Amino acid sequence: MDSLTLSTAKIANGAIVCCECDLQGDITIGSRTVIHPRAKIIALSGPIIIGENNIIEEQVQIINSSETTMVIGNNNVFEVDCHVESKFIGDNNIVESKAFVGRQTSLSNGCVIGAKCEVLVAETLQEGSLFYGASSDVKRRVQSDKPSAQGAQIEFLSKVLPNYHRIRKPLG
């Protein structure tokens, strides 16, 4: 069964959305965003708006259980098996593998949430915030460099994924 049939996903031209992903609820996906198979994007109560040039890898869970709109900016990377409930994510952020971002936390721009980090602070993170460590020993600092652009990876995935997976057609 195509799990996308339960969704009112609006997919922009140029986006690569694998049919094997799970989209539920009111979701808008921007141009050149890549969503891998087995990713879950679930808008339980409020809508989710995903900007352009984002990469959402396998087993990522993006869940909006709030009635307010969840907004994800441009050029973000969500790595394998991360879990995000944040209502706002700016641009150029990276959420690494198995990381968790709670609903009270907002990411500004250029933030990196390291692998296996759990970030539950009730604040908007300063630009360039970097969280690293694991379990109860998570540390934070501000990095001077911005995360690198993912244009080449998006280009590669846009060519390779359609060879091995069914791709959802954009609406319109």
Side-chain angles (χ1 to χ4, degrees):
M1 176 182 134
D2 186 351
S3 61
L4 293 173
T5 56
L6 303 173
S7 176
T8 58
K10 295 174 224 47
I11 302 170
N13 284 327
I16 301 294
V17 179
C18 292
C19 287
E20 296 92 349
C21 70
D22 184 8
L23 301 179
Q24 297 176 28
D26 184 7
I27 301 166
T28 303
I29 300 166
S31 176
R32 290 183 42 89
T33 287
V34 176
I35 301 178
H36 288 245
R38 298 197 59 214
K40 288 184 180 181
I41 302 173
I42 302 172
L44 293 174
S45 300
I48 298 175
I49 298 173
I50 301 171
E52 299 178 352
N53 299 310
N54 293 292
I55 299 174
I56 300 172
E57 296 181 354
E58 293 89 348
Q59 295 180 310
V60 166
Q61 294 181 60
I62 298 174
I63 300 171
N64 184 11
S65 56
S66 161
E67 290 187 11
T68 59
T69 301
M70 175 189 277
V71 177
I72 296 173
N74 303 320
N75 305 305
N76 296 295
V77 178
F78 300 90
E79 294 183 358
V80 174
D81 203 22
C82 72
H83 186 111
V84 175
E85 295 184 6
S86 175
K87 290 182 223 157
F88 179 79
I89 295 177
D91 300 331
N92 303 304
N93 297 293
I94 299 174
V95 181
E96 293 184 355
S97 296
K98 297 186 181 283
F100 180 86
V101 181
R103 73 179 75 166
Q104 300 298 318
T105 305
S106 294
L107 276 61
S108 57
N109 299 316
C111 298
V112 177
I113 310 300
K116 290 191 173 182
C117 286
E118 221 175 88
V119 180
L120 302 170
V121 294
E123 65 181 270
T124 298
L125 302 181
Q126 178 181 349
E127 280 200 30
S129 291
L130 169 65
F131 284 76
Y132 60 98
S135 302
S136 61
D137 192 29
V138 174
K139 295 176 177 65
R140 91 197 269 187
R141 68 177 181 86
V142 176
Q143 60 183 351
S144 55
D145 299 333
K146 289 187 176 181
S148 59
Q150 301 296 320
Q153 186 177 5
I154 290 172
E155 200 66 42
F156 175 77
L157 291 169
S158 297
K159 291 176 183 170
V160 171
L161 282 175
N163 293 333
Y164 299 98
H165 299 280
R166 292 181 323 158
I167 303 300
R168 175 74 182 237
K169 303 286 185 234
L171 296 177

